[in-house]
């Protein structure tokens, strides 16, 4: 029976230097040749999904941690932060002295000093993932746009630097009408906060796509490596965690495969009989 596969990108499909293992490409192409559908399910917006991923031949994507759903050339769902909400976020972050970037399908739009201010945090982020910390902001975000208008009506979400965990707690209080989260570390070790549309999760987006496809949740398999993927694991019939993933996601998994850069995705596809 054909399956519907939902694959996280960072730490699952690609490593944290954006390297896409050839074994993962082979696994996905073979699985699709066998009749399975493959969707990426990621925090990235469409502008951050590069040609090498589309060239694999995937069926579509869930982006913005669930705010955007696409099946081939059809947009199934797209929920956006309003322009008024964007203005509130930008003004609050500016007033607090927190650098940020706005995440849209058309690009990533950086605040005035993000490139220099964010570098230490991004170096720490890659180091925590066991990767070379000698990185640049433009190297990590080649699609990032500087100097653009920051009051927009096309936003999936906003990521901002945390000077302390209190910034995140205060953002929760300031934006109860929006979804507040963190990334780059667990709990108080988080490096960044993010703000998105209220109620958006990868799980909710999966249900929207399945409804569009007329498919059943019993035919789904999720692949991920981080806490943000837990709702995806909880809603899908089967969950596969990468060996390099966090303790929380591995505890939720039905199966733990190898690391992303040790052919983990390919090995999981073989184990599950997808290829």
């Amino acid at each position: 029976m054909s399956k519907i596969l939902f694959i996280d990108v960072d730490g699952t499909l690609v490593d944290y230097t954006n390297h896409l293992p050839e074994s993962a490409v082979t696994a996905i192409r073979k699985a699709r040749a066998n009749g399975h559908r493959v969707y990426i399910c990621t925090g990235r917006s469409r502008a951050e999904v590069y040609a090498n991923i589309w060239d694999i031949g995937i069926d579509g994507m869930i982006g913005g941690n669930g705010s955007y759903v696409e099946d081939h050339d059809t947009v199934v769902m797209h929920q956006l932060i309003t322009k008024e909400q964007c203005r509130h976020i930008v003004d609050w972050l500016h007033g607090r002295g927190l650098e940020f970037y706005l995440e849209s399908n058309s690009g990533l739009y950086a605040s005035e000093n993000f490139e220099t201010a964010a570098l230490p945090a991004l170096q720490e982020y890659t180091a925590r993932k066991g990767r070379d910390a000698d990185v640049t902001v433009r190297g990590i975000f080649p699609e990032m746009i500087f100097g653009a208008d920051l009051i927009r009506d096309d936003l999936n979400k906003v990521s901002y630097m945390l000077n302390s965990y209190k910034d995140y707690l205060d953002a929760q209080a300031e934006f109860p009408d929006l979804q507040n989260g963190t990334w780059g570390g667990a709990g108080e070790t988080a490096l960044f906060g993010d703000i998105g549309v209220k109620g958006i999760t990868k799980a909710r987006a999966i249900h929207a796509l399945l409804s569009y496809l007329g498919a059943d949740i019993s035919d789904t398999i999720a692949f991920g490596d981080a806490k943000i993927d837990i709702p995806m694991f909880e809603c899908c019939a089967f969950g596969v965690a990468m060996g390099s993933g966090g303790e929380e996601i591995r505890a939720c998994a039905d199966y733990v495969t190898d690391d992303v850069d040790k052919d983990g995705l390919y090995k999981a596809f073989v184990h599950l009989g997808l290829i």
Side-chain angles (χ1 to χ4, degrees):
M1 182 179 294
S2 62
K3 299 294 183 183
I4 304 174
L5 315 180
F6 296 99
I7 304 174
D8 172 55
V9 174
D10 296 287
T12 303
L13 178 60
V14 305
D15 67 20
Y16 282 91
T17 61
N18 278 318
H19 172 67
L20 173 62
E22 190 58 38
S23 63
V25 176
T26 300
I28 291 172
R29 287 177 175 169
K30 284 185 175 182
R32 293 188 73 243
N34 288 341
H36 305 294
R37 288 176 173 264
V38 178
Y39 297 85
I40 57 171
C41 192
T42 175
R44 297 188 186 197
S45 292
R46 204 182 195 285
E48 302 168 83
V49 180
Y50 309 122
N52 63 334
I53 293 177
W54 290 113
D55 288 347
I56 299 171
I58 59 176
D59 290 282
M61 71 172 289
I62 290 171
N65 283 332
S67 67
Y68 177 75
V69 182
E70 176 180 328
D71 176 63
H72 295 281
D73 294 327
T74 300
V75 177
V76 176
M77 182 183 79
H78 196 185
Q79 295 187 258
L80 296 166
I81 293 172
T82 68
K83 192 170 186 177
E84 291 72 25
Q85 289 171 326
C86 174
R87 188 183 306 276
H88 183 189
I89 294 167
V90 168
D91 287 347
W92 187 80
L93 292 171
H94 274 149
R96 202 167 178 104
L98 300 174
E99 299 299 324
F100 59 91
Y101 61 95
L102 311 177
E103 302 181 46
S104 164
N105 284 0
S106 63
L108 303 185
Y109 300 91
S111 62
E112 295 80 358
N113 301 307
F114 182 82
E115 185 170 12
T116 53
L119 184 57
L122 290 171
Q123 289 173 330
E124 173 65 18
Y125 178 62
T126 55
R128 288 180 183 180
K129 296 295 181 180
R131 305 299 174 194
D132 186 358
D134 185 19
V135 297
T136 65
V137 171
R138 291 179 190 250
I140 294 175
F141 300 118
E143 70 294 322
M144 188 163 274
I145 299 165
F146 299 87
D149 184 3
L150 297 176
I151 309 302
R152 311 185 61 84
D153 60 3
D154 61 350
L155 299 187
N156 297 324
K157 60 191 181 84
V158 179
S159 283
Y160 61 94
M161 293 180 58
L162 294 173
N163 288 336
S164 72
Y165 193 67
K166 189 175 186 300
D167 292 324
Y168 161 67
L169 297 177
D170 289 349
Q172 282 188 305
E174 183 72 18
F175 304 106
D177 57 326
L178 293 165
Q179 189 91 1
N180 290 273
T182 61
W183 58 274
E188 295 191 12
T189 69
L191 298 168
F192 292 88
D194 61 30
I195 303 171
V197 178
K198 189 76 170 180
I200 284 297
T201 66
K202 290 184 177 184
R204 181 176 173 183
I206 287 171
H207 284 296
L209 178 60
L210 293 178
S211 177
Y212 169 78
L213 295 174
D216 194 270
I217 198 74
S218 63
D219 296 324
T220 58
I221 305 174
F223 300 79
D225 78 309
K227 185 177 180 180
I228 192 71
D229 298 316
I230 290 176
M232 180 169 67
F233 277 33
E234 291 174 341
C235 86
C236 286
F238 196 90
V240 178
M242 308 305 289
S244 49
E247 182 178 338
E248 292 164 307
I249 193 71
R250 286 186 279 111
C252 289
D254 297 293
Y255 177 71
V256 179
T257 187
D258 215 332
D259 296 1
V260 59
D261 54 358
K262 295 179 181 176
D263 303 325
L265 207 60
Y266 186 94
K267 291 173 181 175
F269 277 37
V270 171
H271 174 80
L272 296 171
L274 299 170
I275 58 177

